[in-house]
Amino acid sequence: MTQDVLWMEETYFKDNSILNENVDWRVVQPILILVQDRYILPILGTALFDEIADEIEAASVSTLNETLLNLYLRKAIIWFTLSELAPILKNKYQNKGVMVRNSENSQPADRESIQADQANFKQQGEMYAERATRYLRENESSYPNFFASTING
């Protein structure tokens, strides 16, 4: 299995999400990997997940997998990542402790607002995840690795 392959570039993520351009990509990357492992791997199963990760790493994604990625998986990854990032972006983790980010022109959102956003973002990710699963089942003959993983657990 290919470890820690990002399924999208920074530009793609920021162009297709509500994340501000000034957010440090180094903060996003580990969350993106977490989301791929926590949410996408269980949808696809190990065999199909590894197949797609290997293709991404080799920069030779099949047309079939590119369709799956662009129509469903990358959208799910974006929304799940935003959900996971929501509480993290409020704070800055430093050697002197956890600090609340602040600037002259804004103030941090309250906990309830962040939790509402987080739930909404997760719901959007789940919608695309469900669509991906439906698409895979409707195209059973095109994705034998999906069915091998789901049948064999």
Side-chain angles (χ1 to χ4, degrees):
M1 174 168 92
T2 306
Q3 294 294 318
D4 299 341
V5 174
L6 294 175
W7 289 30
M8 68 190 72
E9 300 293 325
E10 176 180 6
T11 304
Y12 182 94
F13 188 93
K14 289 182 178 179
D15 286 350
N16 292 281
S17 76
I18 62 169
L19 194 67
N20 193 295
E21 300 247 346
N22 69 357
V23 173
D24 187 347
W25 187 242
R26 292 174 300 170
V27 174
V28 178
Q29 285 181 13
I31 304 303
L32 200 59
I33 295 295
L34 170 75
V35 164
Q36 290 169 190
D37 291 343
R38 178 181 284 171
Y39 297 103
I40 304 305
L41 176 59
I43 293 167
L44 301 178
T46 303
L48 183 54
F49 184 91
D50 287 349
E51 174 188 317
I52 293 172
D54 289 343
E55 288 180 4
I56 291 169
E57 186 174 53
S60 63
V61 180
S62 70
T63 303
L64 204 57
N65 286 338
E66 193 67 40
T67 299
L68 178 61
L69 281 165
N70 288 335
L71 292 180
Y72 309 107
L73 298 179
R74 286 186 175 130
K75 292 175 182 178
I77 290 168
I78 287 170
W79 287 107
F80 284 132
T81 301
L82 290 171
S83 174
E84 296 288 337
L85 278 172
I88 294 169
L89 291 177
K90 181 177 179 179
N91 300 321
K92 186 172 185 177
Y93 297 84
Q94 303 180 155
N95 61 353
K96 51 185 160 173
V98 180
M99 310 305 221
V100 175
R101 294 181 189 265
N102 203 345
S103 72
E104 294 176 25
N105 300 324
S106 63
Q107 62 187 111
D110 61 34
R111 183 181 183 116
E112 292 79 24
S113 177
I114 292 171
Q115 287 174 335
D117 285 346
Q118 190 175 18
N120 180 47
F121 298 154
K122 187 173 182 185
Q123 185 178 25
Q124 303 310 318
E126 289 169 348
M127 175 192 67
Y128 285 111
E130 288 171 18
R131 288 181 182 179
T133 301
R134 193 173 329 120
Y135 172 81
L136 287 164
R137 288 189 177 134
E138 290 170 357
N139 294 279
E140 176 179 352
S141 62
S142 299
Y143 292 97
N145 280 338
F146 171 71
F147 285 92
S149 293
T150 55
I151 290 170
N152 297 325

